[in-house]
Amino acid sequence: MTDQNNPFIFGAAVGSGLTALAVDRAGADFLLVLNAGRLRMRGASSLASYLPLRPANE
Amino acid sequence: MKHFELSGSPNQISEHATHIYCPTLHGLNGRQADLAMVMPRLDNNRALFDTRTTEGGSYAGVLTCDPFGTADNFLRRLADHGYVGVSNWPSAILFQGHTKRMMASMPATPELEYAWLAGAQRHGFQSLAFFRSLEQGRAALSAGLQQLVLHPGLIPQTTGGPPDLLIASLRDLIEKLRHQVGDVDILLYEHVGLNEAVQATDVGADGAVTFIATP
């Protein structure tokens, strides 16, 4: 997506493989894989990522 | 005097105390244990079942505001695993200010925790409700809970003699709650920050909860 005329790079936060594929096809430069993303995909608030619900680094 | 031991170890620590197993506390010290609610280290509630069947009447330290799963199934599994009681630890009782408002939107509030514990009581569990303030204590009583633990709060340090003001305020808080409901057991969380200068007997509590660090 980036080129000489566009100095910005674009990233997208994803919570599943499906959205990662969609973001890749849309031409994003990088993916953000966040603990919150997994929880958001399951319908919880981003704030749930603070809680001891899942290991954040796995 | 009642005595509970809160620990991240699945094994009973002492024969003279009721064990509260809270997996997310494993490896934390007494001060870090206060922050367990905002440490996404593992799935606390799932880890309660990772060990062998619990024996000896242990309590489970439950993340009661888990947005996933259903309480009925979870409580049935706890009973099958041998737990006889539940406690709201890790807990939202220490949230203040902006954090408290944000987490309440999730929702993660002491009131929700007390409602969950009351539901567990209806399933036959004993309950142990942590609270930090008079308002929270009254909310726990209103929910029908009769075994409470007063957490003294995030204490920086108590040094240089007996902390008389703290003892007086904790004692006053306990007396006010007893005045509201006579038939209630109120225990003191003997926080590591108190340096053993304030104990359950000093504040007129019915017992104590002690945190036992596990390496």
Side-chain angles (χ1 to χ4, degrees), chain B:
Chain B
M1 292 280 283
K2 292 185 174 181
H3 189 200
F4 289 81
E5 287 178 337
L6 176 65
S7 162
S9 165
N11 303 316
Q12 178 117 8
I13 308 290
S14 159
E15 291 181 4
H16 309 293
T18 304
H19 181 224
I20 309 170
Y21 176 40
C22 180
T24 198
L25 297 178
H26 183 68
L28 302 183
N29 63 36
R31 293 182 183 282
Q32 292 167 335
D34 288 337
L35 306 176
M37 182 70 165
V38 286
M39 289 186 181
R41 308 169 71 222
L42 49 72
D43 184 340
N44 181 77
N45 290 356
R46 179 179 294 182
L48 286 166
F49 306 109
D50 286 348
T51 58
R52 59 174 171 70
T53 302
T54 304
E55 295 173 358
S58 288
Y59 279 45
V62 178
L63 176 67
T64 59
C65 54
D66 185 338
F68 308 118
T70 58
D72 283 354
N73 277 342
F74 180 68
L75 289 167
R76 208 163 17 247
R77 287 187 66 201
L78 284 177
D80 291 345
H81 212 71
Y83 292 104
V84 300
V86 287
S87 185
N88 60 323
W89 199 266
S91 175
I93 62 168
L94 297 174
F95 291 154
Q96 295 183 54
H98 184 64
T99 307
K100 180 181 176 183
R101 287 191 294 278
M102 293 285 285
M103 297 306 269
S105 71
M106 196 156 49
T109 65
E111 290 76 14
L112 186 74
E113 294 176 0
Y114 302 145
W116 192 95
L117 291 177
Q121 281 190 165
R122 289 191 290 276
H123 276 74
F125 284 92
Q126 299 165 39
S127 72
L128 188 62
F130 279 84
F131 73 103
R132 183 187 55 83
S133 65
L134 185 60
E135 180 189 14
Q136 291 174 3
R138 285 179 170 154
L141 293 178
S142 297
L145 306 176
Q146 294 175 315
Q147 191 169 237
L148 277 52
V149 189
L150 173 56
H151 190 297
L154 298 172
I155 296 169
Q157 195 72 26
T158 55
T159 55
D164 293 338
L165 275 177
L166 179 61
I167 289 174
S169 68
L170 295 175
R171 178 180 284 276
D172 183 54
L173 197 155
I174 289 173
E175 285 174 1
K176 280 181 176 159
L177 289 174
R178 284 226 179 86
H179 185 69
Q180 181 176 333
V181 178
D183 187 21
V184 58
D185 285 335
I186 304 179
L187 291 74
L188 178 71
Y189 182 60
E190 293 183 338
H191 194 279
V192 64
L194 297 172
N195 288 332
E196 300 182 358
V198 183
Q199 298 189 332
T201 49
D202 298 327
V203 299
D206 299 299
V209 177
T210 312
F211 174 73
I212 307 293
T214 49

